Amino acid sequence: MLEDKYVGLALAITSTAAIGESCNLVEDTETAFGTDSWVISGTSFVITKKGLLEAIVVGEIANFAAYAFAPAILVTPLGALSVLIGAVLGAYFLKEELGTLGKLGCAICLIGSVIIVLHAPPDKEIETVDEILNYAIQPAFLLYCAAVAVFSSVMIYKVSPKYGKKNPLIYISICSTVGSVSVMSVKAFGIALKLTLAGNNQFSHPSTYAFAIVVVVCILTQMNYFNKALSQFSTSLVNPLYYVTFTTATLCASFILFQGFNTADAVNTISLLCGFLVIFTGVYLLNLSRGDPDGHRLLNGHIEDGVPTDGIASLQTRRSMQSRRSVDHHALSSGSGGFGGRGDREGLIHSYDEENGGFGLTDLTEDSGNEGDERRQSFQRSVNHQRPSKGYER
């Protein structure tokens, strides 16, 4: 009989394929086909919005079922395959340029996924949903849930109204931490359904309904703040950040809930963590390839300032901008050689301003009559006097 681990793996791959296809395969052609359909570029296929919705629902149901058969440490990181599948299908059907970075990102995602699949342990044997409830009421997991509740409440009511539109990690941290609890609840409810379908009715246990309520509340909160993050920031920034924070929080919650990863082999544990880091690198490259398929801007150093994600990144961004402004000011003041250049005159004007107690050109525009003429003549004599200075001698 096929192990539950591989059933969960097949469901996870099906989920990522459906989600990746539904989100990336179709091109919006409302102007040509009305508001209820899309067309796949380069083909004669037209996909209705109803069909697209069905694909999304199938993907989410498969993802939901995958947690009932396989551990979270296997299912959650494989969510990155939806980005890979979307990129490949987009390049094939929509003629989008995948580029060198995109191809490299796809290969790295596949390598990381293989590492995780090979080293992921099987799930613990669960006979009733009450067993998961016993895990959930242990002090360690209760403390984790309390920390998530306090953290998300503070972020929602205190931090996000002020800083939510400035830093993407505000919204992403909310949906990632709340999402980690939702995954554990989804797993519990999924196992209850699986046991019920196998003949062991779990809907006679109140814990089944408790997990269902937690699933609904957490998923609604997660979707709300993830959509807010996408509405304020670029997907190339949100996707990798959300992937790494959500996966990290989910793995931590799973580790605390089940008191480990169900493996005593240190090699497997380290390999799983390395596989996760490899997948994150691939996801980052895939998102980077959307705006720079071959990495030309990256190699030439023409990279736009990103949104800082923490205090150190914010400080580095400001220092980088200040250093560029300093270089630009030096280039402007040094001029391009010869007399009468724009940089030469601005240097002389600056020197004159300092010698005359801050008197500047703005003052000249405000003067009128004889007093203004005298000041202009005085200024011109000063400029003519300073031109043959040492710095301009041949």
Side-chain angles (χ1 to χ4, degrees):
M1 183 178 178
L2 190 64
E3 292 184 22
D4 285 352
K5 167 185 171 181
Y6 296 106
V7 175
L9 173 63
L11 289 169
I13 293 176
T14 302
S15 169
T16 56
I19 294 173
E21 179 183 3
S22 64
C23 293
N24 297 278
L25 180 62
V26 294
E27 178 180 350
D28 192 353
T29 56
E30 293 182 354
T31 55
F33 291 91
T35 59
D36 294 325
S37 61
W38 288 275
V39 63
I40 302 177
S41 296
T43 71
S44 59
F45 295 103
V46 176
I47 296 181
T48 63
K49 288 185 177 181
K50 181 180 178 182
L52 178 61
L53 180 62
E54 290 174 351
I56 296 174
V57 170
V58 168
E60 293 300 335
I61 291 176
N63 185 59
F64 178 89
Y67 283 106
F69 290 92
I73 195 171
L74 172 62
V75 178
T76 306
L78 291 182
L81 291 180
S82 63
V83 181
L84 184 154
I85 293 170
V88 172
L89 293 179
Y92 181 76
F93 287 106
L94 301 180
K95 309 304 179 184
E96 294 178 350
E97 185 179 0
L98 192 58
T100 303
L101 284 182
K103 295 175 183 177
L104 185 61
C106 289
I108 291 175
C109 281
L110 283 176
I111 293 172
S113 300
V114 170
I115 293 174
I116 288 178
V117 170
L118 291 177
H119 294 276
D123 217 349
K124 286 188 175 183
E125 292 292 334
I126 303 294
E127 299 295 333
T128 65
V129 70
D130 288 336
E131 292 184 28
I132 302 181
L133 180 62
N134 290 332
Y135 284 119
I137 61 176
Q138 295 300 313
F141 190 71
L142 288 177
L143 181 62
Y144 177 81
C145 291
V148 169
V150 172
F151 173 79
S152 58
S153 298
V154 171
M155 297 296 284
I156 290 172
Y157 295 107
K158 297 293 184 180
V159 179
S160 64
K162 294 182 179 179
Y163 305 104
K165 297 182 179 180
K166 299 178 182 178
N167 193 316
L169 275 181
I170 304 299
Y171 292 141
I172 292 175
S173 62
I174 295 172
C175 56
S176 296
T177 52
V178 174
S180 67
V181 177
S182 73
V183 167
M184 300 301 103
S185 302
V186 163
K187 185 173 182 64
F189 189 73
I191 290 175
L193 284 177
K194 183 181 73 170
L195 294 174
T196 300
L197 294 175
N200 185 3
N201 184 19
Q202 298 298 305
F203 284 90
S204 60
H205 300 260
S207 55
T208 301
Y209 300 97
F211 285 125
I213 293 173
V214 173
V215 166
V216 173
V217 173
C218 290
I219 288 180
L220 289 177
T221 304
Q222 183 181 1
M223 291 175 61
N224 179 40
Y225 286 95
F226 184 66
N227 288 332
K228 285 187 177 182
L230 288 177
S231 67
Q232 296 295 330
F233 304 98
S234 169
T235 55
S236 62
L237 178 65
V238 172
N239 282 343
L241 282 177
Y242 177 69
Y243 174 77
V244 69
T245 53
F246 174 69
T247 305
T248 301
T250 301
L251 296 186
C252 290
S254 178
F255 183 86
I256 295 171
L257 177 64
F258 294 105
Q259 302 169 9
F261 291 130
N262 198 30
T263 177
D265 192 349
V267 174
N268 281 341
T269 302
I270 295 174
S271 298
L272 288 170
L273 297 177
C274 289
F276 161 62
L277 293 176
V278 170
I279 290 179
F280 169 67
T281 304
V283 170
Y284 176 76
L285 289 178
L286 277 172
N287 281 279
L288 191 65
S289 68
R290 292 182 178 182
D292 188 16
D294 294 314
H296 294 313
R297 286 187 296 172
L298 185 65
L299 292 175
N300 296 329
H302 299 302
I303 305 175
E304 295 180 358
D305 291 318
V307 179
T309 57
D310 52 38
I312 296 177
S314 178
L315 175 62
Q316 290 299 106
T317 302
R318 288 195 296 268
R319 291 180 60 187
S320 176
M321 295 174 66
Q322 289 171 355
S323 64
R324 287 202 303 272
R325 283 195 292 264
S326 176
V327 171
D328 294 341
H329 177 73
H330 176 72
L332 184 63
S333 61
S334 61
S336 57
F339 300 102
R342 182 178 179 183
D344 301 335
R345 290 191 178 275
E346 288 186 3
L348 293 173
I349 291 170
H350 180 68
S351 300
Y352 181 84
D353 291 344
E354 291 182 343
E355 292 176 359
N356 291 273
F359 172 77
L361 287 178
T362 56
D363 295 322
L364 288 176
T365 60
E366 297 175 356
D367 291 336
S368 60
N370 297 332
E371 183 179 358
D373 294 335
E374 292 176 359
R375 287 191 177 183
R376 291 188 186 93
Q377 293 174 4
S378 175
F379 172 76
Q380 187 62 41
R381 285 196 300 270
S382 176
V383 170
N384 295 334
H385 176 71
Q386 292 185 27
R387 276 185 179 176
S389 60
K390 184 179 180 179
Y392 297 91
E393 288 180 357
R394 298 282 182 179

